[in-house]
Amino acid sequence: MPDFQATVPFSEGIKQSIAWFEAHPDQCTVDAEWSDLLDSLIEKHGIEAKPLSFYA
């Protein structure tokens, strides 16, 4: 069992993360090529989890 224990619930942590990114836009870069690749994969495969056998 790992020593790490979360002290902030995920729902609060994600709000804090988004707030940080919104407060620091200069540190947030978007790789257009990577973004396009992810968009094409989502378009092709959707967002639902699939078993590995789906891709065989």
Side-chain angles (χ1 to χ4, degrees), residues 2-3 6 9 12 21-22 25-26 33 35 37-38 40 46 48 51-52:
D3 294 333
E12 181 58 30
F21 281 104
E22 288 176 341
D26 56 312
E33 187 176 341
S35 183
L37 173 62
L38 293 178
S40 69
E48 294 80 25
L52 289 177

Side-chain angles (χ1 to χ4, degrees), residues 6-17:
T7 57
V8 176
F10 177 82
S11 59
E12 181 58 30
I14 199 68
K15 289 176 189 175
Q16 292 175 11
S17 295

Side-chain angles (χ1 to χ4, degrees), residues 2-55:
D3 294 333
F4 173 80
Q5 261 191 320
T7 57
V8 176
F10 177 82
S11 59
E12 181 58 30
I14 199 68
K15 289 176 189 175
Q16 292 175 11
S17 295
I18 291 169
W20 185 91
F21 281 104
E22 288 176 341
H24 300 89
D26 56 312
Q27 296 189 36
C28 305
T29 59
V30 175
D31 180 329
E33 187 176 341
W34 178 248
S35 183
D36 290 345
L37 173 62
L38 293 178
D39 287 345
S40 69
L41 289 171
I42 290 168
E43 185 177 323
K44 181 176 181 179
H45 299 287
I47 58 171
E48 294 80 25
K50 296 174 180 61
L52 289 177
S53 60
F54 175 85
Y55 299 101

